[in-house]
């Protein structure tokens, strides 16, 4: 009987990993797929490889936090309770993936485990409080770092990067020698090639950061129940790979084409800032929401970019106010020189509506909040009934 329950638990964990692959591949490689640099299959393959690297190295620290530290007594993670927790994590994520919206896997998983902890009276509120504080602080860090980049560095980065799609293949394989060698396509410019490589590299960094934080969401309950860590990491990462190659196609469309026309320069900056924060938090065992950090980074980057219409001295004296808008990110095309701080006219800053599709953005925001609530409330009510009413 125990073997059957373990098999069921592993199957549910694989289902969660499958949905994590579908949920996180879009944010990582959506810009590259939307720009035509990568196919969806290639994006899924890269996601699988770099997710495993992140999970195998730093990710085990987050697994330990959720599986052994978030509740006082890890004994509450029996195989049976682990199955229920994973069911709510996977079910909630599936709702988001079915809607084509990448949900916050970390918030969903922590919510389900917290529901178990509250229902059993075993939740370590100190650890939960530390996680919650970082959930507030991390997006603020992403915001202010992006503000500084937007005001002082973004135009320079934008001048360096210009990814334009030329006719023909981006890369061709030279098979004239003994070893096939990839080379730029016949119409591929050097700037296009380098920019495309950078875009793919950033996606790989994001996939790595996803592995450091999100592997715990699939396997932490089973690890708390006593199963060996390394096989769980390998199995969970394999399930993520399957999800990345299948169901992730919907979120790749949403993040790459539907939600925004965010310039690739901005997408690269946001990815680096958000991934760096997520990896840093994972290194100290804190599960982080990449999507929320990235959203605040986009807002901060647009804010900082828009404030370039006003010099610091003018702002202090109250002589002028910036026309703040996320649309500031599209104020110049990649490769163009931006005006100096204080020389740009506010009317040159496009409106945010020029970047975002309001209907899609509203759907994403709603699902980002709705999915973790499903997981938390569902787990709490189920375990309250089981432990208080039935047992």
């Amino acid at each position: 009987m125990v073997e059957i329950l373990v098999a069921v638990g592993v199957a549910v964990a694989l289902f969660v990993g499958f949905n994590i692959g579908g949920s996180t591949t879009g944010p990582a490689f959506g810009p590259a797929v939307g720009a035509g640099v990568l196919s969806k299959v290639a994006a899924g393959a890269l996601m699988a490889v770099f997710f495993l690297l992140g999970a195998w190295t730093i990710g085990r620290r987050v697994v330990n936090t959720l599986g052994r530290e978030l509740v006082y007594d890890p004994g509450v993670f029996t195989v049976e309770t682990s199955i229920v927790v994973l069911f709510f994590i996977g079910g909630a994520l599936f709702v988001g993936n079915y809607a084509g919206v990448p949900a916050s896997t970390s918030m969903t998983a922590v919510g389900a485990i917290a529901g178990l902890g509250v229902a059993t009276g075993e939740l370590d509120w100190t650890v939960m409080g530390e996680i919650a504080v970082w959930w507030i602080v991390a997006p603020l860090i992403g915001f202010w770092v992006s503000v500084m980049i937007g005001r002082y560095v973004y135009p320079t980065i934008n001048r360096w990067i210009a990814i334009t799609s030329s006719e023909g293949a981006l890369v061709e394989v030279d098979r004239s020698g003994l070893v096939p060698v990839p080379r730029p396509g016949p119409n591929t410019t050097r700037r296009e090639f380098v920019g495309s490589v950078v875009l793919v590299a950033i996606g790989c960094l994001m996939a790595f950061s996803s592995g450091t934080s999100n592997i715990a969401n699939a396997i932490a309950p089973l690890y708390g129940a006593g199963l060996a860590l390394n096989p769980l990491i390998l199995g969970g990462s394999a399930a993520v790979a399957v999800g990345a190659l299948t169901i992730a196609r919907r979120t790749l469309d949403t993040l790459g084409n539907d939600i925004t026309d965010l310039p690739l320069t901005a997408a690269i900056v946001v990815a680096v800032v958000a991934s760096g924060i997520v990896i840093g938090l994972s290194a100290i065992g804190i599960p982080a929401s990449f999507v929320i950090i990235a959203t605040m980074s986009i807002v901060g980057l647009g804010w900082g970019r828009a404030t370039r219409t006003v010099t610091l001295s003018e702002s202090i004296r109250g002589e002028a106010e910036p026309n703040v808008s996320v649309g500031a990110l599209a104020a110049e095309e990649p490769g163009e020189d931006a005006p100096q701080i204080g020389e740009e006219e506010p009317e040159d800053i496009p409106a945010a509506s020029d970047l975002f599709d309001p209907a899609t953005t509203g759907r994403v925001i709603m699902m980002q909040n709705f999915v973790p609530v499903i997981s938390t409330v569902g787990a709490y009510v189920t375990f309250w009934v089981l432990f208080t009413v039935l047992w």
Side-chain angles (χ1 to χ4, degrees), residues 226-264:
L227 273 67
L229 181 56
N230 287 345
L232 286 174
I233 291 177
L234 292 175
S237 297
V240 168
V242 175
L245 290 166
T246 55
I247 196 173
R249 293 173 180 271
R250 292 180 62 88
T251 54
L252 281 169
D253 284 335
T254 299
L255 271 294
N257 300 310
D258 295 344
I259 186 172
T260 180
D261 293 322
L262 193 67
L264 291 176

Side-chain angles (χ1 to χ4, degrees), residues 43-348:
L46 288 174
M47 182 72 195
V49 172
F50 285 91
F51 185 97
L52 174 60
L53 289 176
W56 190 263
T57 54
I58 300 175
R60 55 187 68 234
R61 301 182 184 182
V62 183
V63 175
N64 189 68
T65 297
L66 296 189
R68 299 287 172 87
E69 297 179 1
L70 188 55
V71 292
Y72 287 116
D73 181 12
V76 300
F77 281 120
T78 63
V79 176
E80 293 89 344
T81 59
S82 297
I83 291 173
V84 176
V85 168
L86 289 169
F87 171 79
F88 280 107
I89 297 173
L93 290 177
F94 181 78
V95 171
N97 285 330
Y98 183 79
V101 177
S104 172
T105 53
S106 293
M107 294 179 68
T108 302
V110 171
I113 296 173
L116 167 64
V118 173
T120 58
E122 294 291 342
L123 181 66
D124 189 331
W125 288 100
T126 300
V127 176
M128 186 67 230
E130 183 180 3
I131 293 173
V133 167
W134 276 112
W135 280 355
I136 297 172
V137 172
L140 294 177
I141 293 174
F143 173 82
W144 284 109
V145 169
S146 298
V147 166
M148 294 297 102
I149 293 175
R151 179 171 173 84
Y152 297 107
V153 185
Y154 182 83
T156 301
I157 300 174
N158 198 61
R159 188 172 62 250
W160 291 346
I161 299 174
I163 304 179
T164 56
S165 299
S166 59
E167 294 184 3
L170 176 69
V171 178
E172 292 184 345
V173 179
D174 183 359
R175 304 181 184 277
S176 58
L178 294 177
V179 179
V181 178
R183 302 187 187 281
N187 298 317
T188 303
T189 64
R190 179 171 184 151
R191 183 185 291 270
E192 178 187 4
F193 182 77
V194 172
S196 299
V197 170
V198 169
L199 192 62
V200 173
I202 296 304
C204 294
L205 173 66
M206 294 170 68
F208 178 87
S209 72
S210 177
T212 66
S213 181
N214 289 325
I215 188 62
N217 305 329
I219 66 174
L222 292 178
Y223 176 65
L227 273 67
L229 181 56
N230 287 345
L232 286 174
I233 291 177
L234 292 175
S237 297
V240 168
V242 175
L245 290 166
T246 55
I247 196 173
R249 293 173 180 271
R250 292 180 62 88
T251 54
L252 281 169
D253 284 335
T254 299
L255 271 294
N257 300 310
D258 295 344
I259 186 172
T260 180
D261 293 322
L262 193 67
L264 291 176
T265 305
I268 289 172
V269 172
V270 169
V272 172
V273 171
S275 296
I277 293 174
V278 170
I279 292 172
L281 290 179
S282 297
I284 60 174
I286 301 295
S289 172
F290 176 90
V291 174
I292 293 177
I293 296 172
T295 300
M296 290 301 296
S297 180
I298 292 173
V299 175
L301 195 60
W303 183 295
R305 173 64 186 80
T307 61
R308 288 180 58 83
T309 60
V310 180
T311 63
L312 185 60
S313 60
E314 289 175 337
S315 178
I316 294 175
R317 294 194 301 268
E319 296 177 357
E321 293 185 2
N323 177 28
V324 177
S325 168
V326 179
L329 299 177
E332 70 273 334
E333 293 297 324
E336 285 188 6
D337 291 330
Q340 295 297 316
I341 293 178
E343 296 180 359
E344 194 163 10
E345 297 297 328
E347 53 267 21
D348 293 334

